[in-house]
Amino acid sequence: MKILGLDSSGIVASVAIVEDDTLLAEYTVNYKKTHSQTLLPMLDELVKMTELDMETIDAIAVAVGPGSFTGLRIGSATAKGLGLALKKPLIAVPTVDALAFNLYDASGLICPIMDARRNQVYTGIYKFENHELVTEREQWADAATELIRILNEMGQSVTFLGDGVPVFKELLEQELKVPYSFAPAHVNKQRAAAVAALGMKYYKEGKIQEAAIHSPQYLRVSQAERERAQRDESIQPVGEDCPVRSMDRLEKTGGTV
């Protein structure tokens, strides 16, 4: 079985090809350029270096979110385009799950943290039991202080990884009451190899989808959507001719603008 993995959910862009228990190739970049400039050229380079016939892949695994809104859209659009062109299924791999899978068979809790801005993190809590990744708490978005509270209550040692570590490291060191450690450089960020390997497991479990119906999972609305909602809330209806009320009437009657 051959799985193509894509991850552009954060500051890292990564592409990998996994065949059964072998990582054939992986190309990962964590340096300045936008994913729209890097992802497809990286994939093209992997195809050339491995002499890969794209028709031979069984599925495309993609980090589905949470993460950067732009990065997720680029990754999903790339995966969808390839899936439709090659007539291959997609495997939606939660970003935080794939991050945790980097630390295969680690002891204690595994806690990936991605910087979600505004003092918040995208995170989840995991552990390995009998060589299987077990989800203690599914990925969610929350204040970093709330995550620390939850981990202190759980009372177990924990290993952190993800781009949120340098942002919140000082806070973690100050507030954690449990033993903790930080993953080393080679496994502390997104890797398409983990997406592909976990995707292969999901594929065998039947967790696939048609490319046409795939979409990212954001966990929370974007800043643009929040600002638009705030602008809408600031509009106070003052009469029957108010634009808000006029729109309400059109929606209720099935009208169009």
Side-chain angles (χ1 to χ4, degrees), residues 111-222:
C111 185
I113 53 174
M114 299 174 64
D115 183 16
R117 311 299 182 188
R118 299 184 300 147
N119 295 317
Q120 291 194 330
V121 293
Y122 296 124
T123 188
I125 302 174
Y126 307 84
K127 65 181 179 182
F128 278 91
E129 289 184 351
N130 299 318
H131 314 297
E132 292 289 333
L133 182 66
V134 176
T135 303
E136 292 286 286
R137 179 157 179 170
E138 290 185 354
Q139 58 181 24
W140 85 101
D142 212 335
T145 52
E146 178 62 13
L147 171 63
I148 292 171
R149 184 192 67 78
I150 292 169
L151 290 171
N152 283 336
E153 285 188 354
M154 294 180 75
Q156 301 179 52
S157 62
V158 56
T159 302
F160 294 96
L161 71 159
D163 62 41
V165 168
V167 178
F168 297 102
K169 187 175 183 179
E170 184 176 347
L171 179 65
L172 293 169
E173 291 173 336
Q174 290 174 350
E175 301 297 331
L176 279 169
K177 305 295 192 296
V178 297
Y180 63 87
S181 61
F182 301 104
H186 65 293
V187 289
N188 69 3
K189 298 291 192 304
Q190 285 92 334
R191 290 189 59 183
V195 173
L198 193 54
M200 185 172 294
K201 181 177 182 295
Y202 290 167
Y203 184 95
K204 293 175 180 178
E205 295 171 355
K207 298 177 181 178
I208 60 176
Q209 59 184 194
E210 294 180 4
I213 66 172
H214 172 80
S215 62
Q217 298 172 5
Y218 297 115
L219 285 192
R220 74 179 197 191
V221 298
S222 69

Side-chain angles (χ1 to χ4, degrees), residues 28-94:
T28 299
V29 174
N30 180 16
Y31 187 74
K32 295 183 180 180
K33 289 184 179 179
T34 63
H35 299 331
S36 60
Q37 294 175 296
T38 57
L39 201 61
L40 282 174
M42 289 163 58
L43 174 58
D44 184 56
E45 190 65 24
L46 252 65
V47 169
K48 291 177 182 176
M49 291 293 291
T50 60
E51 300 179 342
L52 175 69
D53 179 359
M54 291 289 286
E55 296 288 347
T56 65
I57 66 171
D58 293 282
I60 302 159
V62 58
V64 71
S68 157
F69 289 86
T70 301
L72 289 174
R73 285 192 287 267
I74 291 169
S76 287
T78 302
K80 287 184 72 165
L82 290 170
L84 290 169
L86 298 170
K87 297 181 173 58
K88 303 292 182 179
L90 267 55
I91 310 163
V93 178

